Amino acid sequence: MTHFPINKFKELRTPFYYYDMSLLQETVASAKSAISERPNYHIHYAVKANSNRPILNLMAKNGIGADCVSGGEVQAALDGGIPASQVVFAGVGKADWEIKLALEANISCFNVESVPELEVINTLAIEAGTEARVAFRINPEVDAHTHAKITTGQAENKFGIAIADMLPIFERASKLSHIKVMGLHFHIGSQILQMAPFEALAERVNQLQAQLEAAGHHVKTINVGGGLGIDYLHPQTNPIPDFKSYFDCFAATLRLREGQELHCELGRSMVGQSGYMVSSVLYLKKGVNRQFAILDAGFTELLRPALYGSVHVAQNLTSPQAPISTVDIVGPICESSDVFEKEAHLPLPQRGDLIVFNSAGAYGEIMASTYNCRQLPTAYYSDTIDTVETH
Ligand code: LLP
């Protein structure tokens, strides 16, 4: 359970993000321990969840690779100390400069999503005088049973190559001089808490591998993407995701061939519970039949509730003993969607109280914006916060 340095928090300007680096290390250690007996399993951290330097440094120190979806992320991963040999680059729309940057860095693999992209990578690899290692992202048509906006593995999505086009792209690749096919890549969606969708994915991979082998193609890596969810409702009592069940599920269902590696791209499960968004109450406002706690943070700092209707448990850090009240927790942005939680139950907030939102480490700070000319939030880390100077 995270211990908040409240006195230090009081000196800092809100809103800001706070990262519990011990919890992060514990989480990463737990993920690593779940694969310790499986030397052919490799984790690539999905940088899109949070690309802050200290977080990438911690991943690098733990030998975790990086899954990137833009040139900026590839650069961030490299700058964060993750070796190019452990960087993969995915994304449905890679620009030429991004491909060149990744080729120059000699990253381990491009996850390719279409034939036109494959052709461009080949051309740029010829120009650069190098060989591009690629995996093909196949749309497995598996339903992740998660939020519609974060499900990706179904036919109507823009992502991946249709199953029917899998063999043709392997054929095409075999004719391209500067392409080396390494593997298959999949991703079915995010915030998945049941193992059934991962099992369904593993079964689909088994079928596809059989098809490929029948056509004479063999791959070295099977990348099953990310998607393992976290417990947004009980962040303090259940902070570490069930990595063991996740990996056991693939070990039980997915039939890897001799020498094959399993790669995964976990984002949310690695960092989600270690990050908090900290804000202050500006006003307690009475409305018609309801009251509003108006914070100095809004969807510019934490977008997920407005965008996906997600819940981030709010805690009143300053007055935990105040009587429990029902309030709408809202932000200052000029949009009616700027609501964190309607009819939340929490100790009655007063002006100046610190309100902490849990489970904000993944897709929190990284999705912040400057809408309304607001400043991007600052990040503080448990291991260095005591050295932060305040005025
Ligand atoms: N690999 C690929 C190809 C992905 O598209 C994603 C996430 C991941 C890995 C990492 O998935 P994770 O392990 O974090 O579930 N902004 C949304 C989440 C979008 C996820 C996009 N892709 C949210 O705040 O819930």
Side-chain angles (χ1 to χ4, degrees), residues 46 48-49 67 69 90-91 111 113 137 149-150 152 159 185-187 189-192 225-229 232 265-269 304 307-308 310 362-364 367:
K48 65 172 79 64
D67 157 47
V69 288
N111 292 333
E113 304 217 9
R137 178 172 179 176
K149 285 194 180 154
I150 51 176
T152 42
F159 299 105
H185 175 229
F186 305 88
H187 176 72
S190 200
Q191 185 51 20
I192 300 166
L228 179 64
Y232 280 101
E265 306 168 337
L266 299 175
R268 187 189 317 266
S269 52
R304 304 192 69 259
L307 193 59
Y308 312 116
S310 24
Y363 310 110
M367 289 173 78

Side-chain angles (χ1 to χ4, degrees), residues 116-143:
E117 179 194 334
L118 180 67
E119 308 270 356
V120 170
I121 294 178
N122 185 53
T123 306
L124 296 177
I126 293 170
E127 274 172 35
T130 184
E131 183 181 59
R133 289 168 293 273
V134 305
F136 294 125
R137 178 172 179 176
I138 309 297
N139 185 338
E141 293 180 25
V142 167
D143 189 350

Side-chain angles (χ1 to χ4, degrees), residues 188-302:
I188 53 174
S190 200
Q191 185 51 20
I192 300 166
L193 289 168
Q194 305 301 322
M195 292 303 124
F198 294 123
E199 254 166 49
L201 170 63
E203 276 160 14
R204 178 53 51 86
V205 176
N206 291 340
Q207 291 165 1
L208 296 178
Q209 279 233 80
Q211 268 184 39
L212 272 184
E213 286 169 351
H217 301 289
H218 300 272
V219 291
K220 173 117 177 54
T221 59
I222 300 289
N223 183 335
V224 292
L228 179 64
I230 60 171
D231 189 346
Y232 280 101
L233 299 179
H234 310 97
Q236 292 285 331
T237 51
N238 187 19
I240 305 208
D242 191 358
F243 294 109
K244 189 171 176 321
S245 298
Y246 173 77
F247 288 112
D248 283 353
C249 156
F250 286 110
T253 318
L254 201 145
R255 275 183 284 113
L256 288 179
R257 309 303 192 242
E258 186 70 30
Q260 249 181 357
E261 294 177 3
L262 180 129
H263 292 190
C264 70
E265 306 168 337
L266 299 175
R268 187 189 317 266
S269 52
M270 300 288 271
V271 290
Q273 300 289 32
S274 308
Y276 301 85
M277 198 273 281
V278 184
S279 61
S280 301
V281 179
L282 292 174
Y283 308 106
L284 191 68
K285 172 174 162 174
K286 293 242 177 291
V288 182
N289 296 328
R290 52 178 66 227
Q291 54 187 347
F292 299 97
I294 302 174
L295 307 184
D296 60 2
F299 70 49
T300 42
E301 283 71 35
L302 181 59

